[in-house]
Amino acid sequence: MRDVKKFRRSFRYAYEGLKHSLSTQQNMQFHFLVAFIVLIAAIVFELPKAEILFVLLSVTLVIVCELINTAVEKAVDLAMPERHPLAKIAKDVAAAAVLVSAVFAAIVGMVVFYEPIDRLVRQAGTAESMLTPGLIWTLVALVALTVVVVQTRFSERRIPLRPSLLTAVSFAISTWIALLTGKTLIALLGYSLSIQLTFVLYDKRSRQLPALAAGAIIGSIMTLLAYYLIEIL
């Protein structure tokens, strides 16, 4: 009985550590958001068992490394509150472990999702003849207008919802590039520029991660809905 209580306490402490890291570390929040999107994509694309295992391995590795990085940072701050070269080395090495795991996860993602995305992109483009430059730019402007309305509508509420205007427009344009070209490489290049813009805004701390993610989701989903509605009509 005593061992059972000890096990339950250790499990609770571990869960509290995970909650603390997720609630206080923006990098951990970003990793969880990406993991959620990747797992949803794995379900949508119906990946085989082996590829899903690689995805789960990559997600777990990144989260574990981020947890270790957080633990090292807190321990170093406690032992050495003032600046010290060895403390910096410890933090840098822990952060390097996260970077290596993230690069591995990115490579796995590119290998696993390339073929499903390539099929999806090649299937798009049937409504291209119905689309005009004026209509496309009007739809991009509609995305921007929607984000402005959402910002104004929810800005004074207890739970503000202020999606990023720049990421919404950027991902809307990248989605149009993917849909109109029907070429995976060009689509990936377009989305890579949007992702770089997101990281620039995030590094400057000008916007929080939820706002950037909300803008990207709004821009992409609204563009996809508009495209397929035009295709149906």
Side-chain angles (χ1 to χ4, degrees):
M1 190 67 180
R2 186 184 233 174
D3 292 338
V4 173
K5 290 183 178 179
K6 184 177 180 181
F7 174 77
R8 291 176 60 184
R9 276 200 307 269
S10 63
F11 181 80
R12 185 175 71 252
Y13 294 152
Y15 182 62
E16 290 176 355
L18 179 62
K19 289 196 302 182
H20 173 79
S21 180
L22 184 59
S23 61
T24 60
Q25 304 297 316
Q26 289 191 352
N27 288 337
M28 180 63 77
Q29 296 171 3
F30 175 76
H31 294 322
F32 263 80
L33 175 64
V34 174
F36 177 78
I37 295 174
V38 167
L39 293 177
I40 293 296
I43 296 174
V44 172
F45 290 128
E46 299 180 349
L47 296 181
K49 184 188 299 184
E51 295 183 353
I52 290 179
L53 289 176
F54 271 105
V55 171
L56 290 175
L57 173 64
S58 303
V59 169
T60 303
L61 182 62
V62 172
I63 292 176
V64 168
C65 288
E66 186 61 44
L67 288 171
I68 296 174
N69 179 46
T70 302
V72 171
E73 287 183 351
K74 298 301 181 183
V76 170
D77 291 339
L78 178 62
M80 189 66 62
E82 64 277 2
R83 290 176 176 269
H84 193 280
L86 293 180
K88 181 179 183 303
I89 292 175
K91 290 185 177 181
D92 291 347
V93 172
V98 179
L99 177 61
V100 171
S101 64
V103 171
F104 170 75
I107 294 174
V108 170
M110 286 187 290
V111 173
V112 169
F113 288 104
Y114 183 84
E115 290 186 3
I117 292 176
D118 183 61
R119 290 195 299 267
L120 183 65
V121 171
R122 290 181 183 277
Q123 290 174 359
T126 56
E128 182 177 356
S129 59
M130 303 173 61
L131 294 168
T132 63
L135 178 59
I136 293 174
W137 284 113
T138 300
L139 293 172
V140 172
L142 181 61
V143 170
L145 180 61
T146 301
V147 172
V148 173
V149 170
V150 171
Q151 290 180 350
T152 306
R153 182 74 174 174
F154 294 95
S155 60
E156 297 180 356
R157 298 195 175 186
R158 292 183 179 178
I159 304 178
L161 179 62
R162 296 180 59 84
S164 171
L165 177 62
L166 290 177
T167 56
V169 173
S170 177
F171 274 86
I173 294 175
S174 297
T175 304
W176 277 119
I177 292 174
L179 293 172
L180 295 177
T181 59
K183 296 182 179 180
T184 305
L185 179 59
I186 296 177
L188 292 176
L189 290 174
Y191 277 113
S192 67
L193 292 177
S194 297
I195 293 173
Q196 289 182 43
L197 173 63
T198 303
F199 276 112
V200 169
L201 295 176
Y202 179 68
D203 288 338
K204 289 184 176 180
R205 306 294 182 184
S206 59
R207 298 304 300 270
Q208 297 296 321
L209 180 61
L212 297 173
I217 293 172
I218 290 175
S220 301
I221 291 180
M222 285 191 63
T223 301
L224 288 172
L225 288 176
Y227 176 82
Y228 286 110
L229 282 176
I230 293 173
E231 184 180 28
I232 293 173
L233 297 177

